[in-house]
Amino acid sequence: MLYAILSGFLLAILVLFFGKQVKGKLAAGLTLLPLGLFTYFLFLLPETANGNALLFSYQWIPSMGINLDFKADGLSLLFCLLISGIGALVFFYASYYLKGHRYLDRFYSYLCIFMAAMLGLALSDNVILLFVFWELTSISSFFLIGFNNDDPASRKSSIMALAVTGGGGFLLMAGFILLGGISGTYSIREMLVSSAALKEHANYGWILFFLFAGAFTKSAQFPFHFWLPGAMKAPTPVSAYLHSATMVKAGIYLLARFTPVLGGHPYWNYTLLIAGGITMLYSAFHSTLRTDLKGILAYSTIAALGMLVFLLGAGSEQAMMAVAVFILVHALYKAALFLTAGILDHETGTRDVTQLSGLRKVMKPVALTGLLAALSSAGIPLTFGFVGKDLIYEATLHDSLGILLTAAAVLTNILLLYAGFLAGIKPFSGELPEAFKNVHLPDMRLWVPPLLLAILGVVYGILPSLTDASLMQPVVQSLSPGAVTAPLKVWHGVNPVLLLSGLTLAGGIGLYYYRRPAHSRLQSIRRYDPFSPETLVLKGAGRFDDFSHWYTNKLHSGNLRSYVYIIVIFMSGLLAYKIATGVNLYLDLSNVSRISIYDATIFCIIIVAIWKTISTSSRITAVACMSVVGYCICLLFVIYSAPDLAMTQFTIDTLTVILFVLVLFRLPRFLRINDRKVVLRDGIVSAVFGALISVIALEVMNEPTNKETSRYYAENAYLMAKGKNVVNVMLVDFRGFDTLVEITVLIIAALGVYSLLKLRVSAIEKE
């Protein structure tokens, strides 16, 4: 399974090396990888259909509980089949849609990375691993959305998408760490054991907040939905793949995966019901105002995602079955509609539904695709959408809030029916405009992929049993272990669900015939733009940008003294907080040795030298006084039987003094530019910091001595490293990498200083 995921990353690298061939005939051949992966996952279906989950584990960081753990169950296999199956059709479609594009190789490389990341996300059984793939999907989608990087709108949309989903990902990471800390494991299947403890924990609310933040931003839930319509600046294959079938459903997958772990609590259920309900109603309404095909499909996609969140909030066994079926239903008809919109744009040069009509006369297979996809989205009998819609109503009717939830679902489906007809039927009905007389049926690589998806929507509608036992039931078992649901059927008799389906069809079809699309409706709601989530977020980003400028100017002035001053104040605050909240201050004088005349004399010399250092106006005198302080510390080391430390201190202090003196000769004359207020401020800060360090140093004396580490080094220095000097062995062998890094840092600093000095000398020579 690991190799199935890595194959996408490997192909992404190979594509870059064979870019010239990819831009030629090899482009369509890249379809073989997702097609092969689709076949591989199909062969896993019998195992999951028998109720077994396939587990694969590879060590990564076992000491931290982070491993490459993968789990293939009903839920993950459903997503893997969508990712690889629709991915194969999109790969094939893009080979003609972007034919001749100068960055076609780059496009396929991004697409391979995204596909591999989505597969890894769907199969991960470790939350840290899941987060890695989660972020990879955000990064790769950023490049795909901004693929047309010459267009400022594409760049803006990609940055917006990355900012929103990346911000949610940051919070999701916090949630995963919190989950792991409470449950004691990062494995999702092991978290099931701690489900009750997690729900009763005091931080359960925070876990939900972080988890919902990641899921809602990724799956475009209100008020984070606005990035998805903007992402329609991406090429149509990207929109069909990322924004209907895969990436935007990553948040749905996350919520579904953690439903057995965290679901069943009022906080979980009501939050999802409210968020999903608002999203689906708001977006379904907005989809009826749009006239751009991709805009219509974008908002109807958000509404469908809201419907899935809404059903996950309902939480019943019927709702879980509705979620499983609707994920597949939506992926099939929405990907087909997106690809159809791409064909229309490619051949006519426009996506405006007020201008498109009559194209069935010149694009019969494409018109058939649009019709079948629209019928499935509407839930017409004998389509898979009809089965999905009935399951939605079945779930809402049996809920405790049945009337309210059912009314919201019916209204949403009426509006989505209208939007689906606008995108799939309107461009092909009516008279063919004169401007489109020369439009012709495109290459089969464009219309075959969406037609296959649309036909599947009908086949599964006529024979829902094809997906029931093999795919849908295992998904339900993943979401609700032990659930017992009725098998999928086309006909359940005359009942309230059938009446609601009829009401939906009558309302949606009536709305389609009596309400023509018009640009004026969209313009009429522009006056509310100042209150839209996108505008508010952009204003907030502007305020944050202003704060960043202020912060940078205040704290990053380029003055070394300011940097030291800020660091010391920050450290003083942290130390003071720790001392005030976590340290029980007391001093056991029995542990303090007697102060001898030598100690007192050296201490007095140090005090005098420090005072002279801060009061003198001569740099040389200040350096000399600082050296006195260093040599006095050397004497203290000697008195307390630490000659090795004394020699080290003596050597370092001597070298430091010499370097200071050499540097000071190159500096200009000493200038006293600080007034009394600045001097007083610096004195207070220094005194506070010194007092805090002194308190901590005294407090250390009260801590019990633990010689386990030193004993280990002493016992093993010669046995393991063949060295008799324990300190040297520690630096060179036991902590060799630390020493190597320290030396590397010093070398980099030395090179930087040398470069600056050389630059200064060169500048003087030129003058």
Side-chain angles (χ1 to χ4, degrees), residues 145-193:
I145 294 170
F147 179 67
N148 296 318
N149 50 36
D150 295 332
D151 182 7
S154 293
R155 296 198 299 269
K156 180 181 177 181
S157 297
S158 62
I159 292 172
M160 178 67 76
L162 183 64
V164 174
T165 58
F170 176 77
L171 295 176
L172 180 63
M173 178 182 65
F176 282 162
I177 293 173
L178 196 57
L179 263 174
I182 296 172
S183 63
T185 180
Y186 290 119
S187 171
I188 299 174
R189 69 177 183 275
E190 292 177 9
M191 286 180 184
L192 280 168
V193 180

Side-chain angles (χ1 to χ4, degrees), residues 445-687:
R445 281 176 286 179
L446 285 187
W447 58 263
V448 167
L451 183 59
L452 286 175
L453 292 171
I455 291 173
L456 280 177
V458 176
V459 172
Y460 291 154
I462 298 172
L463 300 171
S465 58
L466 291 176
T467 64
D468 186 23
S470 61
L471 195 55
M472 296 299 111
Q473 294 294 344
V475 174
V476 174
Q477 293 301 316
S478 301
L479 299 176
S480 182
V484 179
T485 56
L488 298 181
K489 293 181 180 180
V490 177
W491 178 251
H492 291 275
V494 178
N495 54 26
V497 171
L498 184 64
L499 296 178
L500 289 172
S501 294
L503 176 62
T504 303
L505 293 177
I509 294 172
L511 187 64
Y512 173 71
Y513 276 106
Y514 290 103
R515 189 177 185 274
R516 298 298 180 186
H519 296 287
S520 58
R521 295 194 185 94
L522 185 59
Q523 296 301 323
S524 65
I525 65 168
R526 293 295 186 192
R527 61 180 181 273
Y528 300 111
D529 280 354
F531 308 102
S532 68
E534 181 177 8
T535 302
L536 295 176
V537 168
L538 290 175
K539 285 183 178 179
R543 300 292 82 81
F544 184 80
D545 192 51
D546 295 339
F547 168 77
S548 300
H549 283 292
W550 174 85
Y551 170 85
T552 302
N553 293 332
K554 287 291 184 183
L555 301 184
H556 298 274
S557 60
N559 188 321
L560 181 59
R561 293 189 62 185
S562 297
Y563 291 158
V564 174
Y565 169 72
I566 292 168
I567 292 171
V568 170
I569 288 180
F570 181 74
M571 290 296 297
S572 299
L574 287 180
L575 292 173
Y577 173 77
K578 183 60 180 177
I579 290 173
T581 59
V583 178
N584 184 19
L585 294 176
Y586 70 96
L587 180 61
D588 186 2
L589 296 178
S590 62
N591 294 330
V592 180
S593 62
R594 185 177 60 84
I595 300 176
S596 66
I597 185 64
Y598 306 109
D599 298 331
T601 303
I602 294 173
F603 177 75
C604 291
I605 294 173
I606 290 175
I607 295 298
V608 172
I610 291 174
W611 175 254
K612 188 63 177 175
T613 300
I614 63 177
S615 61
T616 184
S617 60
S618 169
R619 290 196 182 95
I620 300 298
T621 303
V623 172
C625 292
M626 287 298 296
S627 68
V628 171
V629 174
Y631 292 139
C632 286
I633 294 175
C634 289
L635 289 175
L636 289 175
F637 286 148
V638 171
I639 292 172
Y640 288 96
S641 304
D644 53 343
L645 293 178
M647 289 301 298
T648 303
Q649 176 74 18
F650 176 80
T651 305
I652 295 297
D653 223 80
T654 302
L655 289 173
T656 303
V657 170
I658 294 173
L659 288 172
F660 263 124
V661 172
L662 291 175
V663 171
L664 292 177
F665 276 122
R666 304 285 298 180
L667 293 177
R669 292 182 59 189
F670 184 83
L671 298 176
R672 187 177 293 278
I673 58 176
N674 290 333
D675 56 22
R676 288 184 178 274
K677 291 182 179 179
V678 175
V679 172
L680 179 62
R681 179 201 68 185
D682 293 346
I684 293 173
V685 171
S686 302

Side-chain angles (χ1 to χ4, degrees), residues 283-290 415 418-419 422 511 515 517 521:
S283 302
F285 170 72
H286 270 268
S287 68
T288 65
L289 303 176
R290 264 55 193 179
L415 298 176
Y418 172 78
L422 278 186
L511 187 64
R515 189 177 185 274
R521 295 194 185 94

